[in-house]
Amino acid sequence: MNCKNCNNTLRESQKFCDECGAKIIQNRLKPKVLVAQVNEQFLCVDNKFLRTFIHLFNKPEMVIVSYIDGTRKKYIDVLQYFAIALTLAGIQLFIMSTFFKESLDFQSGFVDGLNSSSSQKDNPFKNINTDFFSKSQSILYILFVPFYAFGTWFTYYILNERVYNYTEHIVINLYYNAQIIILTAVFGTLFAIIGVEYYIVSLALFIPTLLYLFYILKRVFKDTFWAAFLRFIIASFIALTSMFIIGIIITLLFIILSI
């Protein structure tokens, strides 16, 4: 018998491949088998998803550093976890755009004050359209990761604390962003049910999610409070500045190519 994933030779009694670690599936796909697999991965008390989600809060260094060091059985793989987060964000957007469309209306209530506080002629929010941002949120989430990773990597690089390379900082920020996306999707949906606009929820979560990055950096790099806070401030500044610069470059290129 050979592994269907890597073609490694297996013993009949093996439950997992000793080469690639894949679980040996011998039964044909049936509803009962699919239900058992979903329960094992997501619904049972001691499953990887729930364990990864909880430990990213109370001991994020266990999840992140273990993955970077090569221990990848206990928690969900970082790319899989990020993919699950994007899927939840997509489900959230579908639910809200189908059943709670008013919660996605940026013009309803939130901008009304801005509209009334300035003249309609000069008001930059007059014709604001957020459909693009709503429909492209998954792409935006993906694009944020390399900037956040550059911010954290470059911060520790210039401070001569080069514990992890840029790719490993990508891992740190993938887990961080996945956790934030999951929280935003859950809270955004729950608050939409009671009539709170999604953009209000996003603004309310903005500071806590930034502080969560500080918390992760402190735990992963084992810094003191003030040392971690300084690195967090520098990393945030670098990430936001790099996004701003790239945004300007892309805008200028778009203008030049449109002439």
Side-chain angles (χ1 to χ4, degrees), residues 131-178:
D131 285 347
F132 169 79
F133 298 101
S134 298
K135 294 176 181 178
S136 307
Q137 67 173 6
S138 293
I139 296 175
L140 295 175
Y141 283 141
I142 294 171
L143 292 176
F144 285 155
V145 173
F147 290 105
Y148 277 97
F150 177 75
T152 56
W153 169 78
F154 193 63
T155 297
Y156 286 90
Y157 185 88
I158 61 178
L159 293 174
N160 202 29
E161 299 175 7
R162 302 164 191 177
V163 179
Y164 302 117
N165 59 33
Y166 178 71
T167 303
E168 291 164 338
H169 276 269
I170 287 280
V171 170
I172 295 172
N173 284 277
L174 277 172
Y175 271 124
Y176 161 71
N177 278 278

